[in-house]
Amino acid sequence: MVKLESMSDDEFGQWRDSHSKDYAEEKIKSGAWSVEEAPRLADEEYTRLLPQGLQTADNFLYTALDEATGEKVGHIWFTKMTYGGQTFAFVYDLIIFEEYRRKGYGEATMLALEEKVKEQGLDSIALHVFGHNHAAKALYEKIGYEITDLNMMKKL
């Protein structure tokens, strides 16, 4: 259902601008960043994580395509990460375009990602879900992801 193709330079520029804004909004929604500082912090985060853009070592950015139609349905980005003596894939971003949501593309993209991760010699995938993103949490649990850590906050 979904084929992953390496992101082009043009796609990367559009993706970075769009998702830096989206990431800032998610951090505001989660209560982690203020409205005033979020755009700057999101930009700094992307610059830190992808200092050479598409050529940043151990980072893999793909466009998700509907195999039948060739239409672009979203993007996904993962990196090879080592933490606690283990090396694994960490998904930094999955976006399915609005018009393709709730049609199975998120699940299909994550399953297609598994093959890309295996090609890198890795056998596990980790990711972060914002607490308010119930749809994403449900998707990941549906395809076998388990909670490994949980942060909580109470606003006073």
Side-chain angles (χ1 to χ4, degrees):
M1 175 181 213
V2 167
K3 177 182 175 184
L4 298 180
E5 288 189 353
S6 294
M7 200 180 282
S8 71
D9 288 332
D10 286 343
E11 288 171 320
F12 176 76
Q14 293 169 6
W15 168 83
R16 190 187 184 294
D17 292 344
S18 170
H19 294 288
S20 180
K21 180 180 175 269
D22 291 346
Y23 182 60
E25 289 172 4
E26 291 294 328
K27 292 296 257 184
I28 292 165
K29 247 191 247 185
S30 74
W33 294 346
S34 71
V35 171
E36 298 78 23
E37 69 182 354
R40 177 186 56 79
L41 291 173
D43 188 57
E44 287 174 2
E45 187 78 357
Y46 278 92
T47 299
R48 181 181 67 79
L49 293 171
L50 294 168
Q52 284 82 43
L54 284 174
Q55 275 57 61
T56 302
D58 293 332
N59 282 268
F60 307 88
L61 294 99
Y62 297 99
T63 298
L65 303 170
D66 181 302
E67 282 185 303
T69 66
E71 291 180 65
K72 295 176 185 179
V73 299
H75 298 291
I76 192 161
W77 164 32
F78 82 91
T79 188
K80 281 186 185 179
M81 181 178 284
T82 300
Y83 183 78
Q86 294 182 295
T87 301
F88 52 91
F90 185 86
V91 176
Y92 273 117
D93 189 46
L94 166 65
I95 184 71
I96 301 299
F97 303 141
E98 190 72 38
E99 62 270 27
Y100 297 103
R101 291 181 186 165
R102 308 253 184 266
K103 297 180 181 179
Y105 289 106
E107 180 176 345
T109 300
M110 289 300 295
L111 295 176
L113 177 69
E114 292 178 9
E115 290 307 311
K116 298 294 185 184
V117 168
K118 288 177 188 175
E119 289 172 10
Q120 295 301 315
L122 304 172
D123 64 4
S124 56
I125 303 171
L127 50 81
H128 168 270
V129 180
F130 286 104
H132 61 267
N133 194 341
H134 302 290
K137 184 175 179 279
L139 164 66
Y140 300 134
E141 287 176 339
K142 176 182 175 186
I143 58 176
Y145 286 74
E146 298 175 0
I147 294 172
T148 58
D149 196 68
L150 186 63
N151 296 321
M152 298 177 79
M153 178 186 290
K154 179 179 179 180
K155 291 277 188 183
L156 303 178

